[in-house]
mmCIF file of all heavy atoms in Angstrom:
data_model
loop_
_atom_site.group_PDB
_atom_site.id
_atom_site.type_symbol
_atom_site.label_atom_id
_atom_site.label_comp_id
_atom_site.label_asym_id
_atom_site.label_seq_id
_atom_site.Cartn_x
_atom_site.Cartn_y
_atom_site.Cartn_z
ATOM 1 N N GLY A 139 -8.310 12.843 -2.911
ATOM 2 C CA GLY A 139 -8.343 13.102 -4.322
ATOM 3 C C GLY A 139 -8.267 14.550 -4.687
ATOM 4 O O GLY A 139 -8.076 14.876 -5.893
ATOM 5 N N ARG A 140 -8.345 15.446 -3.727
ATOM 6 C CA ARG A 140 -8.210 16.879 -4.022
ATOM 7 C C ARG A 140 -6.776 17.315 -4.098
ATOM 8 O O ARG A 140 -6.469 18.383 -4.599
ATOM 9 C CB ARG A 140 -8.920 17.682 -2.924
ATOM 10 C CG ARG A 140 -10.371 17.328 -2.687
ATOM 11 C CD ARG A 140 -10.905 17.998 -1.428
ATOM 12 N NE ARG A 140 -10.046 17.698 -0.283
ATOM 13 C CZ ARG A 140 -10.253 18.178 0.958
ATOM 14 N NH1 ARG A 140 -11.265 18.965 1.182
ATOM 15 N NH2 ARG A 140 -9.417 17.850 1.916
ATOM 16 N N LEU A 141 -5.869 16.475 -3.555
ATOM 17 C CA LEU A 141 -4.452 16.864 -3.506
ATOM 18 C C LEU A 141 -3.707 16.370 -4.754
ATOM 19 O O LEU A 141 -3.946 15.272 -5.243
ATOM 20 C CB LEU A 141 -3.791 16.246 -2.266
ATOM 21 C CG LEU A 141 -4.232 16.758 -0.902
ATOM 22 C CD1 LEU A 141 -3.496 15.978 0.189
ATOM 23 C CD2 LEU A 141 -3.951 18.244 -0.766
ATOM 24 N N PRO A 142 -2.740 17.147 -5.231
ATOM 25 C CA PRO A 142 -1.883 16.686 -6.315
ATOM 26 C C PRO A 142 -0.916 15.638 -5.792
ATOM 27 O O PRO A 142 -0.789 15.429 -4.554
ATOM 28 C CB PRO A 142 -1.158 17.961 -6.770
ATOM 29 C CG PRO A 142 -1.089 18.780 -5.516
ATOM 30 C CD PRO A 142 -2.375 18.521 -4.754
ATOM 31 N N PRO A 143 -0.197 14.955 -6.676
ATOM 32 C CA PRO A 143 0.780 13.954 -6.215
ATOM 33 C C PRO A 143 1.734 14.479 -5.147
ATOM 34 O O PRO A 143 2.020 13.814 -4.163
ATOM 35 C CB PRO A 143 1.501 13.554 -7.497
ATOM 36 C CG PRO A 143 0.438 13.701 -8.544
ATOM 37 C CD PRO A 143 -0.331 14.943 -8.159
ATOM 38 N N ARG A 144 2.274 15.686 -5.330
ATOM 39 C CA ARG A 144 3.240 16.202 -4.352
ATOM 40 C C ARG A 144 2.588 16.361 -2.990
ATOM 41 O O ARG A 144 3.248 16.205 -1.952
ATOM 42 C CB ARG A 144 3.827 17.549 -4.844
ATOM 43 C CG ARG A 144 4.987 17.990 -3.974
ATOM 44 C CD ARG A 144 5.725 19.173 -4.590
ATOM 45 N NE ARG A 144 6.362 18.862 -5.853
ATOM 46 C CZ ARG A 144 7.546 18.278 -5.943
ATOM 47 N NH1 ARG A 144 8.227 17.946 -4.875
ATOM 48 N NH2 ARG A 144 8.040 18.037 -7.164
ATOM 49 N N GLY A 145 1.276 16.641 -2.955
ATOM 50 C CA GLY A 145 0.623 16.737 -1.683
ATOM 51 C C GLY A 145 0.625 15.422 -0.914
ATOM 52 O O GLY A 145 0.649 15.404 0.315
ATOM 53 N N HIS A 146 0.597 14.294 -1.617
ATOM 54 C CA HIS A 146 0.644 12.998 -0.947
ATOM 55 C C HIS A 146 2.054 12.690 -0.463
ATOM 56 O O HIS A 146 2.251 12.077 0.583
ATOM 57 C CB HIS A 146 0.132 11.894 -1.892
ATOM 58 C CG HIS A 146 -1.346 11.953 -2.067
ATOM 59 N ND1 HIS A 146 -1.944 12.815 -2.991
ATOM 60 C CD2 HIS A 146 -2.362 11.339 -1.436
ATOM 61 C CE1 HIS A 146 -3.249 12.662 -2.910
ATOM 62 N NE2 HIS A 146 -3.530 11.803 -1.972
ATOM 63 N N LEU A 147 3.068 13.158 -1.196
ATOM 64 C CA LEU A 147 4.434 13.056 -0.700
ATOM 65 C C LEU A 147 4.580 13.836 0.632
ATOM 66 O O LEU A 147 5.184 13.372 1.579
ATOM 67 C CB LEU A 147 5.384 13.629 -1.763
ATOM 68 C CG LEU A 147 6.874 13.392 -1.552
ATOM 69 C CD1 LEU A 147 7.248 11.955 -1.828
ATOM 70 C CD2 LEU A 147 7.679 14.318 -2.471
ATOM 71 N N GLU A 148 3.973 15.024 0.682
ATOM 72 C CA GLU A 148 4.031 15.832 1.891
ATOM 73 C C GLU A 148 3.254 15.155 3.043
ATOM 74 O O GLU A 148 3.660 15.296 4.194
ATOM 75 C CB GLU A 148 3.476 17.202 1.614
ATOM 76 C CG GLU A 148 4.315 18.025 0.605
ATOM 77 C CD GLU A 148 5.733 18.280 1.083
ATOM 78 O OE1 GLU A 148 5.949 18.325 2.321
ATOM 79 O OE2 GLU A 148 6.638 18.378 0.225
ATOM 80 N N MET A 149 2.180 14.470 2.734
ATOM 81 C CA MET A 149 1.484 13.729 3.769
ATOM 82 C C MET A 149 2.405 12.723 4.414
ATOM 83 O O MET A 149 2.434 12.568 5.625
ATOM 84 C CB MET A 149 0.256 13.008 3.166
ATOM 85 C CG MET A 149 -0.920 13.899 2.861
ATOM 86 S SD MET A 149 -2.255 12.992 2.027
ATOM 87 C CE MET A 149 -2.703 11.807 3.261
ATOM 88 N N GLY A 150 3.161 12.004 3.601
ATOM 89 C CA GLY A 150 4.113 11.039 4.136
ATOM 90 C C GLY A 150 5.140 11.693 5.020
ATOM 91 O O GLY A 150 5.507 11.164 6.082
ATOM 92 N N ARG A 151 5.659 12.828 4.590
ATOM 93 C CA ARG A 151 6.644 13.535 5.420
ATOM 94 C C ARG A 151 6.106 13.946 6.750
ATOM 95 O O ARG A 151 6.751 13.854 7.779
ATOM 96 C CB ARG A 151 7.211 14.744 4.640
ATOM 97 C CG ARG A 151 8.091 14.381 3.478
ATOM 98 C CD ARG A 151 8.501 15.591 2.653
ATOM 99 N NE ARG A 151 9.394 15.205 1.581
ATOM 100 C CZ ARG A 151 9.604 15.895 0.473
ATOM 101 N NH1 ARG A 151 8.930 17.038 0.277
ATOM 102 N NH2 ARG A 151 10.456 15.466 -0.458
ATOM 103 N N ALA A 152 4.835 14.396 6.746
ATOM 104 C CA ALA A 152 4.220 14.767 7.998
ATOM 105 C C ALA A 152 4.034 13.570 8.940
ATOM 106 O O ALA A 152 4.112 13.752 10.173
ATOM 107 C CB ALA A 152 2.851 15.406 7.715
ATOM 108 N N LEU A 153 3.835 12.406 8.390
ATOM 109 C CA LEU A 153 3.581 11.194 9.191
ATOM 110 C C LEU A 153 4.843 10.493 9.634
ATOM 111 O O LEU A 153 4.778 9.575 10.457
ATOM 112 C CB LEU A 153 2.692 10.232 8.418
ATOM 113 C CG LEU A 153 1.281 10.729 8.151
ATOM 114 C CD1 LEU A 153 0.615 9.876 7.085
ATOM 115 C CD2 LEU A 153 0.465 10.747 9.426
ATOM 116 N N ALA A 154 5.994 10.882 9.102
ATOM 117 C CA ALA A 154 7.259 10.189 9.365
ATOM 118 C C ALA A 154 7.560 10.033 10.868
ATOM 119 O O ALA A 154 8.117 9.010 11.286
ATOM 120 C CB ALA A 154 8.403 10.877 8.668
ATOM 121 N N PRO A 155 7.240 11.004 11.745
ATOM 122 C CA PRO A 155 7.537 10.816 13.171
ATOM 123 C C PRO A 155 6.919 9.558 13.773
ATOM 124 O O PRO A 155 7.411 9.051 14.790
ATOM 125 C CB PRO A 155 6.999 12.084 13.817
ATOM 126 C CG PRO A 155 7.044 13.109 12.743
ATOM 127 C CD PRO A 155 6.732 12.372 11.501
ATOM 128 N N LEU A 156 5.860 9.050 13.196
ATOM 129 C CA LEU A 156 5.222 7.853 13.744
ATOM 130 C C LEU A 156 6.178 6.649 13.702
ATOM 131 O O LEU A 156 6.038 5.733 14.507
ATOM 132 C CB LEU A 156 3.957 7.495 12.939
ATOM 133 C CG LEU A 156 2.789 8.499 13.072
ATOM 134 C CD1 LEU A 156 1.664 8.113 12.129
ATOM 135 C CD2 LEU A 156 2.314 8.607 14.497
ATOM 136 N N ARG A 157 7.117 6.667 12.789
ATOM 137 C CA ARG A 157 8.072 5.545 12.692
ATOM 138 C C ARG A 157 8.871 5.398 13.969
ATOM 139 O O ARG A 157 9.267 4.286 14.365
ATOM 140 C CB ARG A 157 9.007 5.766 11.505
ATOM 141 C CG ARG A 157 8.317 5.804 10.173
ATOM 142 C CD ARG A 157 9.326 6.025 9.065
ATOM 143 N NE ARG A 157 10.345 4.956 9.018
ATOM 144 C CZ ARG A 157 11.438 5.012 8.297
ATOM 145 N NH1 ARG A 157 11.726 6.093 7.549
ATOM 146 N NH2 ARG A 157 12.305 4.016 8.323
ATOM 147 N N ASP A 158 9.172 6.519 14.636
ATOM 148 C CA ASP A 158 9.907 6.480 15.890
ATOM 149 C C ASP A 158 9.018 6.226 17.104
ATOM 150 O O ASP A 158 9.495 6.219 18.210
ATOM 151 C CB ASP A 158 10.661 7.799 16.079
ATOM 152 C CG ASP A 158 11.688 8.044 15.009
ATOM 153 O OD1 ASP A 158 12.426 7.088 14.663
ATOM 154 O OD2 ASP A 158 11.771 9.166 14.484
ATOM 155 N N GLU A 159 7.740 6.011 16.828
ATOM 156 C CA GLU A 159 6.778 5.682 17.882
ATOM 157 C C GLU A 159 6.223 4.293 17.743
ATOM 158 O O GLU A 159 5.188 3.940 18.307
ATOM 159 C CB GLU A 159 5.643 6.734 17.836
ATOM 160 C CG GLU A 159 6.147 8.177 18.034
ATOM 161 C CD GLU A 159 5.062 9.207 17.757
ATOM 162 O OE1 GLU A 159 3.867 8.850 17.754
ATOM 163 O OE2 GLU A 159 5.444 10.385 17.559
ATOM 164 N N GLY A 160 6.950 3.465 16.976
ATOM 165 C CA GLY A 160 6.584 2.056 16.871
ATOM 166 C C GLY A 160 5.499 1.760 15.838
ATOM 167 O O GLY A 160 4.902 0.681 15.870
ATOM 168 N N VAL A 161 5.250 2.681 14.903
ATOM 169 C CA VAL A 161 4.165 2.510 13.947
ATOM 170 C C VAL A 161 4.757 2.132 12.587
ATOM 171 O O VAL A 161 5.657 2.820 12.079
ATOM 172 C CB VAL A 161 3.314 3.776 13.844
ATOM 173 C CG1 VAL A 161 2.249 3.631 12.786
ATOM 174 C CG2 VAL A 161 2.660 4.105 15.190
ATOM 175 N N LEU A 162 4.221 1.099 12.001
ATOM 176 C CA LEU A 162 4.572 0.661 10.652
ATOM 177 C C LEU A 162 3.667 1.417 9.664
ATOM 178 O O LEU A 162 2.435 1.312 9.744
ATOM 179 C CB LEU A 162 4.387 -0.837 10.481
ATOM 180 C CG LEU A 162 4.567 -1.363 9.064
ATOM 181 C CD1 LEU A 162 6.048 -1.271 8.622
ATOM 182 C CD2 LEU A 162 4.077 -2.794 8.960
#
Side-chain angles (χ1 to χ4, degrees):
R140 305 169 307 178
L141 293 178
R144 190 171 295 278
H146 288 83
L147 190 74
E148 295 299 331
M149 285 175 62
R151 287 174 178 158
L153 293 166
L156 294 175
R157 298 179 59 190
D158 297 316
E159 301 170 18
V161 176
L162 174 69

